[in-house]
């Protein structure tokens, strides 16, 4: 399972159920055996008393007298289920019986698979005169030549069954209560044991949104090693970023001066190919800037814990564009109910959106609309973004204008680096291609389309984070 909590809860529930069920079965089985043994011991005691009474009569006189109640009033209560009989071995005729039989007899149905421990004897199941089930202990006793007797003592099996059933009902209630308590305690222990993981998740999120520079807190031994390695990774990432920024700055500074010298020397010369050399130097400068930008974007994007609140940035850009293009109306609309943050550098967000808004203002007739949406647009397929990056939350920025717009072919051409559709407008032709590359580095997307205002619609989809 992907969830540790669900895995533990399911397995603990299964084991708690099996443990409670096993405990119930063992407990009820032990009581059943104990109750049956106690019941049979009572029958054995009565049988021994009956044998003792008859033995006394045999040794004291020639005429046998009927034994008394043996100290058990139940054997005098009619049809009580507690009976005894004495018969001769050579005849099935009953010579003595308890008063509880009321002159009737009981029937033997089957033998019980239980060994008698007090000598020669056996346990039987039978049915009394009233049809009730009885439990029978039978023994054959010899008092001398031609003096063999069969003794049978019975007990009410319904009483034994009622005793066992009563105990089983209480036992299963107890087992169910025990199982519930065991499950609740186990779930509590699971929750307490996994609390450090919840704390770790919150600390990692604080690092991800830039509120902390490392994962802090005390953790169990099983997690502390992971925390230490993560902090080392975070520190290494920041160190690598700073080193990359320094090297990129040094490279830009090292190339800037030679290129400027070459440009000045070419312009001051009267060589025929001066214009061509200047053009090549400009191309070199653009290419150097391109790869420096790519490296800078990649370094910033890989930084852990870099987030930017997006609403203030877009508000500021809209305000700046109103001042730069006072003849154009720039509207900013935030259609989101959450405090959405861009998972990246503020400078990159400003460069992407600033390029697009500035471009829209150049081509708009009167109006430019900057919109912020929470999540993906309806036309976007979630499957195209679900496996990209670490973010599963996205934001959408749309910039629309009421200008002439572009055809489908012109939209494709506009995204090519250095390609300008109208040379009369200022610019290098790098803006849209830079936006596209930066959006790709953040594993988002940049597309052009037709605006409802009649002009061009530029749409950015970028990774986000909700506070």
């Amino acid at each position: 399972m992907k969830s540790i909590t669900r895995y533990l809860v399911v397995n603990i529930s299964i084991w708690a159920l099996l443990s409670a069920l096993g405990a119930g079965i063992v407990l009820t089985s032990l009581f059943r055996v104990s109750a049956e043994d106690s019941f049979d011991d009572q029958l054995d005691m009565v049988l021994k008393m009956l044998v003792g009474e008859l033995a006394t009569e045999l040794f004291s006189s020639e005429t046998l007298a009927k034994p008394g109640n043996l100290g058990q009033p139940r054997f005098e209560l009619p049809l009580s289920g507690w009976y005894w009989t004495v018969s001769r071995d050579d005849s099935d005729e009953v010579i003595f019986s308890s008063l509880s039989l009321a002159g009737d007899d009981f029937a033997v149905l089957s033998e019980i698979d239980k060994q008698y421990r007090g000598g020669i004897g056996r346990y039987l199941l039978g049915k009394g005169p009233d049809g009730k089930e009885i439990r029978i202990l039978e023994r054959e006793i010899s008092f001398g030549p031609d003096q063999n007797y069969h003794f049978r003592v019975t007990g009410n099996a319904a009483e034994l069954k009622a005793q066992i059933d009563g105990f089983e009902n209480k036992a299963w209630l107890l087992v169910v209560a025990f199982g519930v308590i065991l499950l609740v305690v186990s779930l509590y222990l699971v929750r307490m044991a996994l609390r450090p993981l919840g704390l770790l998740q919150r600390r990692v999120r604080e690092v991800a949104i830039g509120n902390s520079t490392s994962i802090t807190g005390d953790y169990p031994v099983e997690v502390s090693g992971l925390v230490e390695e993560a902090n080392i990774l975070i520190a290494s990432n920041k160190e690598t970023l700073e080193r990359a920024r320094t090297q990129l700055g040094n490279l830009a500074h090292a190339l800037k001066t030679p290129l400027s010298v070459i440009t000045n020397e070419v312009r001051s010369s009267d060589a025929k190919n001066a214009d061509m050399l200047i053009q090549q130097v400009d191309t070199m400068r653009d290419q150097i800037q391109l790869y420096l930008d790519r490296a800078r974007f990649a370094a910033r994007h890989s930084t852990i814990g870099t987030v930017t609140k997006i609403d203030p940035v877009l508000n500021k850009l809209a305000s700046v564009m109103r001042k730069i293009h006072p003849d154009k109306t720039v509207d900013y609309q935030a259609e989101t109910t959450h405090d959405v943050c861009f998972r990246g550098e503020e400078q990159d967000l400003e460069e992407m959106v600033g390029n697009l808004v500035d471009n829209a203002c150049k081509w708009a007739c009167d109006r430019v609309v900057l919109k912020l949406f929470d999540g993906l647009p309806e036309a976007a397929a979630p499957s195209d973004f679900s496996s990209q990056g670490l973010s599963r939350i996205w934001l959408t920025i749309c910039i629309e204008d009421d200008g002439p717009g572009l055809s489908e072919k012109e939209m494709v051409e506009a995204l090519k680096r250095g390609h300008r559709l109208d040379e009369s407008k200022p610019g290098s032709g790098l803006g849209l291609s830079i936006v596209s590359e930066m959006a790709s580095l953040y594993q988002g997307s940049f597309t052009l389309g037709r605006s409802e205002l009649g002009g061009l619609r530029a749409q950015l989809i970028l990774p986000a984070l909700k506070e």
Side-chain angles (χ1 to χ4, degrees):
M1 297 184 181
K2 294 183 179 180
S3 170
I4 297 177
T5 302
R6 187 181 300 118
Y7 175 82
L8 292 176
V9 168
V10 170
N11 281 275
I12 287 175
S13 300
I14 293 174
W15 281 108
L17 177 62
L18 293 178
S19 299
L21 181 63
I25 293 174
V26 171
L27 189 61
T28 53
S29 298
L30 290 176
F31 180 81
R32 178 182 293 275
V33 172
S34 176
E36 290 177 352
D37 288 343
S38 177
F39 191 87
D40 293 337
D41 287 344
Q42 293 183 52
L43 298 181
D44 186 49
M45 181 183 65
V46 173
L47 189 143
K48 289 177 179 178
M49 293 174 62
L50 182 60
V51 171
E53 287 276 347
L54 190 58
T56 302
E57 293 290 335
L58 286 172
F59 290 119
S60 62
S61 64
E62 295 182 358
T63 304
L64 295 176
K66 182 178 180 179
N69 64 7
L70 307 177
Q72 299 285 340
R74 291 179 295 184
F75 289 98
E76 295 182 355
L77 183 64
L79 305 179
S80 63
W82 294 85
Y83 315 119
W84 59 262
T85 62
V86 180
S87 61
R88 291 187 181 275
D89 185 35
D90 55 356
S91 173
D92 291 334
E93 181 184 357
V94 176
I95 58 176
F96 299 118
S97 64
S98 63
L99 293 176
S100 55
L101 271 172
D104 209 333
D105 198 2
F106 54 81
V108 176
L109 299 179
S110 63
E111 185 173 350
I112 299 175
D113 186 18
K114 180 179 179 181
Q115 191 70 29
Y116 177 65
R117 296 173 296 175
I120 300 175
R122 58 179 180 163
Y123 295 102
L124 309 167
L125 285 178
K127 186 174 293 186
D130 56 352
K132 294 181 180 178
E133 186 177 345
I134 56 176
R135 192 175 180 94
I136 306 168
L137 173 58
E138 178 185 78
R139 286 193 66 183
E140 181 181 342
I141 305 294
S142 177
F143 295 97
D146 300 326
Q147 290 187 352
N148 297 329
Y149 295 90
H150 277 290
F151 293 85
R152 287 178 177 173
V153 178
T154 74
N156 192 339
E159 294 181 12
L160 175 63
K161 185 176 184 302
Q163 183 183 9
I164 294 174
D165 290 345
F167 177 83
E168 287 183 347
N169 291 336
K170 295 177 182 178
W172 281 114
L173 286 176
L174 181 63
V175 166
V176 170
F178 171 75
V180 171
I181 294 173
L182 177 63
L183 181 60
V184 171
V185 172
S186 299
L187 295 180
Y188 174 76
L189 293 177
V190 168
R191 184 174 181 180
M192 295 300 294
L194 295 181
R195 282 184 65 185
L197 296 183
L199 176 62
L200 177 59
Q201 182 182 19
R202 291 192 294 272
R203 294 291 184 266
V204 171
R205 182 174 178 82
E206 289 178 359
V207 174
I209 63 178
N211 291 341
S212 178
T213 57
S214 63
I215 303 172
T216 59
D218 295 327
Y219 300 94
V221 177
E222 293 79 4
V223 182
S224 59
L226 173 63
V227 174
E228 292 176 3
E229 293 297 330
N231 283 331
I232 292 174
L233 177 62
I234 294 171
S236 175
N237 181 272
K238 291 182 178 180
E239 182 182 347
T240 301
L241 174 64
E242 292 301 324
R243 186 165 56 250
R245 285 175 172 172
T246 301
Q247 291 175 352
L248 288 172
N250 293 339
L251 177 61
H253 181 74
L255 294 176
K256 182 179 179 180
T257 301
L259 287 175
S260 298
V261 171
I262 294 174
T263 302
N264 293 333
E265 289 295 327
V266 171
R267 284 177 179 171
S268 63
S269 69
D270 54 356
K272 296 182 180 180
N273 57 352
D275 291 339
M276 182 190 69
L277 292 176
I278 292 175
Q279 182 180 3
Q280 292 301 314
V281 170
D282 290 339
T283 302
M284 291 171 60
R285 183 181 289 110
D286 288 343
Q287 291 295 318
I288 292 171
Q289 187 62 42
L290 166 64
Y291 287 103
L292 285 175
D293 287 344
R294 283 183 177 177
R296 178 168 52 86
F297 298 155
R300 286 207 298 256
H301 173 255
S302 63
T303 305
I304 298 174
T306 304
V307 294
T308 302
K309 289 188 177 181
I310 191 167
D311 190 68
V313 173
L314 298 188
N315 259 318
K316 183 177 71 173
L317 284 174
S319 177
V320 170
M321 291 302 165
R322 293 188 191 104
K323 295 177 181 178
I324 297 176
H325 303 279
D327 57 328
K328 306 293 172 64
T329 301
V330 181
D331 294 331
Y332 169 53
Q333 302 172 5
E335 300 182 8
T336 175
T337 58
H338 303 279
D339 292 331
V340 182
C341 295
F342 166 55
R343 193 185 286 271
E345 289 276 355
E346 179 178 348
Q347 180 181 345
D348 294 343
L349 180 64
E350 289 180 347
E351 188 164 354
M352 285 187 286
V353 179
N355 262 320
L356 296 177
V357 177
D358 182 59
N359 186 70
C361 289
K362 290 177 182 178
W363 292 95
C365 295
D366 296 302
R367 187 184 179 196
V368 174
V369 178
L370 172 61
K371 295 181 181 180
L372 170 63
F373 297 95
D374 183 11
L376 296 172
E378 295 182 358
S383 58
D384 295 339
F385 296 89
S386 59
S387 61
Q388 296 183 13
L390 301 175
S391 176
R392 295 184 179 181
I393 303 174
W394 302 88
L395 61 88
T396 302
I397 301 173
C398 287
I399 298 93
E400 302 183 58
D401 63 69
D402 60 351
L406 297 175
S407 66
E408 295 290 337
K409 182 178 179 181
E410 288 173 333
M411 291 180 190
V412 175
E413 293 294 324
L415 295 177
K416 294 181 180 179
R417 172 169 287 271
H419 191 85
R420 299 174 59 190
L421 298 176
D422 190 345
E423 297 291 338
S424 65
K425 298 290 183 181
S428 62
L430 300 176
L432 295 183
S433 62
I434 290 176
V435 172
S436 180
E437 290 176 2
M438 292 179 70
S440 298
L441 283 172
Y442 281 106
Q443 298 182 331
S445 71
F446 170 59
T447 56
L448 297 176
R450 198 70 185 172
S451 168
E452 295 179 356
L453 301 178
L456 187 67
R457 174 177 57 82
Q459 177 177 276
L460 270 175
I461 298 178
L462 300 172
L465 185 145
K466 296 178 183 178
E467 292 188 335

